[in-house]
């Protein structure tokens, strides 16, 4: 329907999809460059969340390197990087005990001295206000749902702000067709597995010759704890229990702000056992005697989940296409062993802005910003990602304990030797969806019931994400073939969507006799983590944008 509708259009020099760290940094940098040149440049930022920061979820320990370059006096200006890291702690967990390995000579890049614990959502809120003070137009609640093309096939802009389509896909009484935002260059900064980035990578072959992209799912809770449980500036990471050695992942716990403890769990989505539920692994993890005391007596105040790109250097797509570029996590610029990507996202936005500004000054529009990718390859972002390129493949190949050790040694050598590694550049192999094993080859996992003190169920957790979707709209989680969940995924894989989804979106329901299974999608629960789009073994689920403003409303995440 969207291609056939007549819409009003708005013209800009640059349109940016996504008010995350990469998109906002690009917008700010464009305005800085224009001010320095004594000219003007029109910039619009579209954000599908109800406000800037509403859909931002990260750990987050933030390396300020990108912010230092973008806003050198950020401390004076009040960027909310509020708690400096004071102590790094690393544990290997067993079922009841723990081994403190903090004394080991960890690579410098895995230590957090000089970094800050913060809410990335609040950092983005500040960046949004700063961008607006420079003249950037920001439109929250405006989901970019489609790409608009020029006659020559280059990207012309995007469609945003479609509202009031009813559940049958027809215009309802409050229907608004949206607007087309046209630009000389369109920046895609949607974050991990963005729906437009997916389309553009396929249309322009941006992943040809690249390795398969890899992902994890990060599930996070924010707690407020008593003084006796709180150590401002503490960062703690664990490996091991409750995951087995062949299932990649681990936990993070960060103490910051007003007695806040950000605690989360990451599971690499190349896991084989289809009976694994990352949400329930996280809840079980919190009951460990090394973890529980930090939370007891505290209050859980927020919950959310988000996919994380883990492919790194060898999985980065081509960063430019005719008429635009991919930024930050839309391209996959996360450093896996550091569990960090926001500093790289900020820098990618700056590099794209510099390439686009130069092109516009030359009178160009709609062509390929190859200068952006060239500058990326010369940047510290590329150097950083290249040096850790084998960490994830070694972890996947050898398992957690040997793999992390080998990956760390390889990264140290690569850092010392200008990127050289005895392994060369290892490949990731299968996609995460193709890594899923058959249900018959694994035992179903019986997870303990939540105690409602430190462990909880999915629905009470989703409530804390403040997720809301208008029910009278088409489900934004679309099945390519509605028969596949029951005819293929259930008998072969146990229908893992009901387990890998951290929000209770997918269910298999039976009649009173326990027969006639049917697949139900509770799209109203969706926290926009994108895991289903990534992990579904039949690749039958396509995540698309709901109407703008719908989804989670994360506070302090």
């Amino acid at each position: 329907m969207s291609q056939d509708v007549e819409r009003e259009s708005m013209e800009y020099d640059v349109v940016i999809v996504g008010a995350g760290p990469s998109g906002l940094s690009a917008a700010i940098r464009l305005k800085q460059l224009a001010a320095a040149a004594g000219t003007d440049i029109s910039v619009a930022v579209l954000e599908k969340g109800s406000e800037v920061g509403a859909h931002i979820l990260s750990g987050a320990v933030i390396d300020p390197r990108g912010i230092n370059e973008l806003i050198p006096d950020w401390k004076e200006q009040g960027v909310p990087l509020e708690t400096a890291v004071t102590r790094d702690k690393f544990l290997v967990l067993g079922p009841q005990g723990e081994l403190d390995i903090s004394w080991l000579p960890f690579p410098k890049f895995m230590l957090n001295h000089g970094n800050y614990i913060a809410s990335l959502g609040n950092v983005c809120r500040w960046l949004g206000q700063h961008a607006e003070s420079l003249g950037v137009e920001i439109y929250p609640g405006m989901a970019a749902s489609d790409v608009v093309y020029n006659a020559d096939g280059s990207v012309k802009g995007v469609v945003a702000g479609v509202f009031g389509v009813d559940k049958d896909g027809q215009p309802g009484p409050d229907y608004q067709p949206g607007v087309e935002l046209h630009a000389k260059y369109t920046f895609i900064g949607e974050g991990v597995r963005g729906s437009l980035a997916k389309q553009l990578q396929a249309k322009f072959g941006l992943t040809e010759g690249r390795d398969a992209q890899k992902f994890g799912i990060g599930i996070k809770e924010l707690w407020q704890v008593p003084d006796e449980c709180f150590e401002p500036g503490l960062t703690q990471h664990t490996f091991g229990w409750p995951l087995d050695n062949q299932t990649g992942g681990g936990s993070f716990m960060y103490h910051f702000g007003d007695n806040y403890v950000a605690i989360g769990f990451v599971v690499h989505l190349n896991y084989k056992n289809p009976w694994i539920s990352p949400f329930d692994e996280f809840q079980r993890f919190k009951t460990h005697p090394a973890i529980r005391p930090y939370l007891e007596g505290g209050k859980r105040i927020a919950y959310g989940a988000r996919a994380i790109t883990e492919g790194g250097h060898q999985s980065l797509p081509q960063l430019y296409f005719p008429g635009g570029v991919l930024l930050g996590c839309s391209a996959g610029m996360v450093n896996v062993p550091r569990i960090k990507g926001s500093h790289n996202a900020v820098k990618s936005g700056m590099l794209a802005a510099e390439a686009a500004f130069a092109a516009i000054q030359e009178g160009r529009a709609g062509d390929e910003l190859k200068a952006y990718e060239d500058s990326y390859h010369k940047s510290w972002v590329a150097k950083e990602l290249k040096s850790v390129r084998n960490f994830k493949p070694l972890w996947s190949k050898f398992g957690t304990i040997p793999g992390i050790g080998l990956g760390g040694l390889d990264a140290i050598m690569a850092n010392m030797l200008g990127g050289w590694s005895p392994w060369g550049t290892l490949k990731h192999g299968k996609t995460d969806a193709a890594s899923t094993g058959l249900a018959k080859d694994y035992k179903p996992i019986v997870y303990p019931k939540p105690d409602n003190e430190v462990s909880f169920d999915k629905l009470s957790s989703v409530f804390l994400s403040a997720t809301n979707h208008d029910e009278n709209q088409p489900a934004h989680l679309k099945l390519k073939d509605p028969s596949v969940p029951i005819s293929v995924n259930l008998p072969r894989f146990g229908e893992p969507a009901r387990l890998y989804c951290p929000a209770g979106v997918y269910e298999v329901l039976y009649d009173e006799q326990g027969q006639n299974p049917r697949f139900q999608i509770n799209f109203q629960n969706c926290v926009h983590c994108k895991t289903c789009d990534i992990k579904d073994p039949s690749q039958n689920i396509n995540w698309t944008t709901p109407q703008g403003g719908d989804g989670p409303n994360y506070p302090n995440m």
Side-chain angles (χ1 to χ4, degrees):
M1 184 177 73
S2 86
Q3 298 294 339
D4 303 325
V5 175
E6 285 193 18
R7 298 182 173 90
E8 294 182 2
S9 63
M10 300 167 68
E11 305 290 331
Y12 292 91
D13 291 315
V14 178
V15 166
I16 300 170
V17 179
S22 65
L24 292 170
S25 298
I28 290 168
R29 186 67 182 136
L30 283 163
K31 286 295 187 178
Q32 289 174 340
L33 292 166
T39 184
D40 192 24
I41 189 166
S42 57
V43 183
V45 178
L46 302 170
E47 168 53 44
K48 68 182 173 67
S50 60
E51 63 170 356
V52 173
H55 291 178
I56 297 289
L57 183 142
S58 183
V61 173
I62 297 174
D63 181 340
R65 186 171 187 178
I67 295 282
N68 286 342
E69 293 187 13
L70 180 68
I71 306 171
D73 62 341
W74 62 265
K75 288 185 180 180
E76 291 74 23
Q77 294 215 37
V79 176
L81 297 181
E82 51 187 294
T83 304
V85 174
T86 56
R87 184 161 77 104
D88 278 308
K89 192 175 177 183
F90 297 91
L91 301 178
V92 178
L93 299 185
Q96 289 298 319
E98 76 272 3
L99 177 65
D100 191 332
I101 58 171
S102 307
W103 56 271
L104 288 173
F106 277 85
K108 189 176 179 181
F109 65 80
M110 288 186 68
L111 302 177
N112 286 300
H113 178 73
N115 297 330
Y116 293 82
I117 307 169
S119 158
L120 186 61
N122 288 344
V123 171
C124 287
R125 289 178 176 96
W126 188 95
L127 291 172
Q129 292 168 1
H130 186 65
E132 287 184 315
S133 76
L134 300 177
V136 175
E137 296 178 28
I138 299 181
Y139 299 103
M142 292 281 279
S145 54
D146 219 336
V147 181
V148 181
Y149 297 95
N150 289 303
D152 64 1
S154 63
V155 171
K156 185 177 187 178
V158 294
V159 174
V162 179
F163 291 96
V165 178
D166 68 22
K167 61 179 61 179
D168 298 319
Q170 299 302 312
D174 301 320
Y175 175 66
Q176 297 177 38
V179 295
E180 291 187 4
L181 288 95
H182 299 162
K184 293 170 182 171
Y185 297 102
T186 302
F187 290 8
I188 305 296
E190 300 169 298
V192 181
R193 195 72 165 197
S195 52
L196 299 188
K198 244 178 86 173
Q199 293 177 38
L200 292 164
Q201 288 181 49
K203 180 177 178 64
F204 293 112
L206 304 183
T207 60
E208 289 176 11
R210 268 65 169 184
D211 205 355
Q213 185 58 269
K214 306 296 284 184
F215 300 89
I217 177 174
I219 305 173
K220 175 184 173 181
E221 294 174 350
L222 186 67
W223 288 65
Q224 199 160 30
V225 301
D227 289 342
E228 60 268 24
C229 301
F230 183 63
E231 182 186 332
L234 171 66
T235 74
Q236 177 176 290
H237 297 91
T238 75
F239 310 104
W241 190 88
L243 302 178
D244 62 34
N245 193 57
Q246 296 307 310
T247 304
S251 80
F252 61 85
M253 182 175 65
Y254 307 141
H255 291 221
F256 73 109
D258 184 17
N259 284 50
Y260 291 134
V261 171
I263 187 164
F265 202 76
V266 176
V267 178
H268 299 178
L269 287 175
N270 61 355
Y271 65 80
K272 295 178 182 177
N273 184 347
W275 301 107
I276 285 175
S277 164
F279 173 89
D280 291 297
E281 298 291 351
F282 175 35
Q283 300 306 314
R284 182 158 63 162
F285 152 78
K286 289 183 292 172
T287 66
H288 193 279
I291 308 302
R292 188 181 192 111
Y294 284 106
L295 304 176
E296 282 188 317
K299 182 181 181 183
R300 191 176 69 140
I301 55 178
Y303 167 86
R306 195 74 176 90
I308 305 165
T309 49
E310 296 185 340
H313 169 77
Q314 54 270 60
S315 299
L316 248 66
Q318 181 175 299
L319 300 179
Y320 61 90
F321 50 84
V325 298
L326 302 175
L327 304 177
C329 283
S330 283
M333 295 183 185
V334 170
N335 182 322
V336 170
R338 295 190 75 194
I339 328 176
K340 290 179 182 62
S342 61
H343 63 303
N344 293 338
V346 169
K347 183 63 173 176
S348 76
M350 294 174 67
L351 295 174
E354 288 158 8
F357 184 78
I360 291 168
Q361 289 293 94
E362 294 170 6
R364 292 162 47 200
D367 58 354
E368 295 186 337
L369 288 174
K370 187 174 182 297
Y372 164 48
E373 185 159 295
D374 292 342
S375 64
Y376 163 79
H377 285 300
K378 296 172 185 173
S379 73
W380 50 259
V381 180
K383 182 181 178 184
E384 179 179 313
L385 294 183
K386 187 176 181 183
S387 71
V388 298
R389 66 191 182 278
N390 291 329
F391 196 95
K392 165 81 172 178
L394 288 167
W395 191 344
S396 299
K397 182 177 177 66
F398 292 104
T400 295
I401 301 302
I404 288 176
L406 288 169
L409 286 171
D410 181 79
I412 290 170
M413 282 191 292
N415 265 311
M416 291 171 59
L417 301 172
W420 181 86
S421 164
W423 303 95
T425 298
L426 295 173
K427 291 195 175 295
H428 296 298
K430 295 178 181 177
T431 65
D432 293 331
S435 300
T436 312
L438 298 176
K440 67 181 179 61
D441 295 333
Y442 298 86
K443 280 187 178 180
I445 301 171
V446 179
Y447 288 102
K449 290 185 177 179
D451 61 19
N452 295 316
E453 293 178 4
V454 300
S455 60
F456 304 90
D457 63 18
K458 282 185 182 178
L459 293 185
S460 67
S461 300
V462 172
F463 178 79
L464 291 179
S465 70
T467 292
N468 182 62
H469 293 85
D470 183 350
E471 296 186 18
N472 191 34
Q473 65 178 306
H476 63 281
L477 303 156
K478 302 188 184 304
L479 302 180
K480 297 174 187 175
D481 181 344
S483 71
V484 163
I486 300 303
S487 65
V488 178
N489 283 359
L490 186 60
R492 286 176 60 80
F493 307 103
E495 187 39 90
R498 62 197 174 85
L499 295 170
Y500 58 62
C501 173
V505 170
Y506 302 101
E507 293 183 282
V508 176
L509 302 176
Y510 297 85
D511 63 20
E512 292 180 358
Q513 287 72 45
Q515 304 293 321
N516 301 312
R518 64 184 178 85
F519 192 60
Q520 179 164 301
I521 301 176
N522 307 307
F523 75 87
Q524 300 90 337
N525 291 0
C526 178
V527 294
H528 298 198
C529 74
K530 317 287 182 69
T531 303
C532 55
D533 194 297
I534 296 161
K535 185 61 177 170
D536 177 45
S538 298
Q539 286 295 276
N540 189 50
I541 301 173
N542 187 34
W543 194 97
T544 64
T545 52
Q547 69 179 19
D550 286 3
N553 283 279
Y554 291 137
N556 299 317
M557 295 284 267

